[in-house]
Amino acid sequence: MFFSVDPSNGVAIYAQIVRQVKFAVAEKTLRPGQLLPSVRQLSQQLAVNPNTVTRALQELQSEGITETLRGRGVIVCQDAVDRCRRQRHSILADRLAAALTEALQAGLSADEVRTLVDQQLNSLDGQIESISELST
Amino acid sequence: MFFSVDPSNGVAIYAQIVRQVKFAVAEKTLRPGQLLPSVRQLSQQLAVNPNTVTRALQELQSEGITETLRGRGVIVCQDAVDRCRRQRHSILADRLAAALTEALQAGLSADEVRTLVDQQLNSLDGQIESISELST
Amino acid sequence: MFFSVDPSNGVAIYAQIVRQVKFAVAEKTLRPGQLLPSVRQLSQQLAVNPNTVTRALQELQSEGITETLRGRGVIVCQDAVDRCRRQRHSILADRLAAALTEALQAGLSADEVRTLVDQQLNSLDGQIESISELST
Amino acid sequence: MFFSVDPSNGVAIYAQIVRQVKFAVAEKTLRPGQLLPSVRQLSQQLAVNPNTVTRALQELQSEGITETLRGRGVIVCQDAVDRCRRQRHSILADRLAAALTEALQAGLSADEVRTLVDQQLNSLDGQIESISELST
DNA sequence: GTGGTCTAGACCACA
DNA sequence: GTGGTCTAGACCACA
């Protein structure tokens, strides 16, 4: 359903997985107590090595977002939603801030940046809606 | 004068340097024929290992943006401005698009993203102006 | 100098490494700011795969015991000593408690256990002293 | 009656079951010819998957401690008592030795270890007596 | 030289 | 079927 990974976007693959899981928990697409897709499923779906998925799950577990039930799978912790919500905002804001800073330093004015953002939001918004529809 | 590097922003340091040089050329802050700061100066200014700067200069040279004058230093090529202008737009747009896509996929609406962008532009704009003034 | 690993003692190898590093920090054999042996050195010294060492270092980093200096190595955090001291006691006590519980449940009396402990301490004490001397 | 399992004590669950059966035989809590509790009973009592119990029984059978009577259940072999007694001592001593070695290597003195052992024996001893009473 | 990331694949414990 | 651990080895960024 919902995870995707871009090997060339500068963020480590395992970190992209970590972020998307947190986002899904914040969004309640993934609910406390719910089983994550298995390592094997995820690694196939993302076309990524199982160990890379495992690395992401280790990180999530060490942050107390997920919990392992031996032989059953990995579930979302009861108290993960709040933590994920708080992190979601700062993760997104940090990344946006980095991109915007770069644009301003590159000599664009704030207005030029706003225009660029609007263009992109319009085109992206359409794409993402259609992706969501596809997966329905 | 104008370069800065953020080791934790997901983009390799040498790539950040490459981008900033291209941006400066596109902006005419750095003009064809002009000498770049030396590897030593740059590495000190950025608090970065000289090899990392060298790596960036190799990249710029292989893309035909800069040229080495033996015993003198590294200069911007005559025909680099156009190429840098074209690249600037796509580099910034790609990075913004990646950040915006992530925000939309994380469940924010286009309007929420626009609000976030505005907040950040306002705060960043102030900071960057004051940085520019400092370096004047 | 000081790390050793027993692949067959029921505790995962990476966890044994984690514990020994914490113990060394608690003991001040390893001091804040000091570089750990490199992954390659440790993996050779312990006759263990480098990835296993890396796994241990990830754990230590996620607990805030160590910190990575890119290209330089891994150092002990300034505030790690207290945390390691507190953990050392509980790690040792937990493990001892498990072994002692097992002995009592197996039908030994408290006195029999004490005798067994004394025998072992006497023989072990000698061995460990001689190991320390060897490495001097 | 007497078995208990700790999923987080570093020893595989099936191995904990094997050990406790051997201990019970050594103690004559479980006598030659006597039927063990059924796989279902044991797995319920220990809150463990039946396959894990089965795995333990396979191990016991392959060591000649128990024997299967088709349609009746699993009984203790006639000659198991001596073997279990011999093993009990070495199992307990090995595990204690490992825990004590770790404590000494972690920098505790033999006296500090003895004190720790005494504290624990006192508190454990009480607990285990009360458990035994409960199950009477 | 340093650690970080990723792939490929083995074997184990548990359900 | 599930995840956990470990090995072996590649390639990258940075010092």
Side-chain angles (χ1 to χ4, degrees), chain D residues 78-118:
Chain D
Q78 289 306 324
D79 60 346
V81 182
D82 281 347
R83 226 169 315 140
C84 288
R85 282 219 182 110
R86 269 177 265 121
Q87 288 186 30
R88 175 176 63 159
H89 186 268
S90 65
I91 290 171
L92 295 173
D94 286 356
R95 183 145 191 225
L96 256 181
L100 297 172
T101 304
E102 188 177 51
L104 295 176
Q105 279 178 340
L108 299 196
S109 70
D111 273 346
E112 288 170 315
V113 173
R114 251 182 292 263
T115 306
L116 191 54
V117 167
D118 277 333

Side-chain angles (χ1 to χ4, degrees), chain B residues 1 6 8 13 16 29 32 54-56 74-75 78 82 91 100 110 115 117 120 124 127-129 132 136:
Chain B
M1 25 65 151
D6 173 2
S8 68
I13 290 176
Q16 294 183 44
T29 315
T54 301
R55 174 72 199 278
V74 173
I75 61 166
Q78 291 305 327
D82 282 346
I91 290 171
L100 296 173
T115 306
V117 167
Q120 303 224 355
L124 287 174
Q127 286 172 42
I128 287 176
E129 269 165 31
S132 313
T136 313

Side-chain angles (χ1 to χ4, degrees), chain A residues 12-14 49 51-52 55 70:
Chain A
I13 293 176
Y14 83 91
N49 189 284
N51 285 335
T52 304
R55 176 86 163 75
R70 285 215 58 171

Side-chain angles (χ1 to χ4, degrees), chain C residues 78-119:
Chain C
Q78 290 304 327
D79 59 345
V81 181
D82 281 347
R83 223 168 317 141
C84 287
R85 282 222 182 107
R86 270 178 264 120
Q87 287 187 30
R88 175 175 63 158
H89 186 267
S90 65
I91 291 171
L92 295 174
D94 286 357
R95 184 148 189 221
L96 256 181
L100 296 173
T101 304
E102 187 176 54
L104 294 176
Q105 279 177 339
L108 299 197
S109 70
D111 273 346
E112 288 170 315
V113 173
R114 251 182 291 264
T115 307
L116 192 53
V117 167
D118 276 333
Q119 286 171 3

Side-chain angles (χ1 to χ4, degrees), chain A residues 118-132:
Chain A
D118 277 333
Q119 285 171 1
Q120 302 222 355
L121 279 179
N122 289 336
S123 80
L124 286 174
D125 214 14
Q127 285 172 42
I128 287 176
E129 269 165 32
S130 50
I131 290 172
S132 313

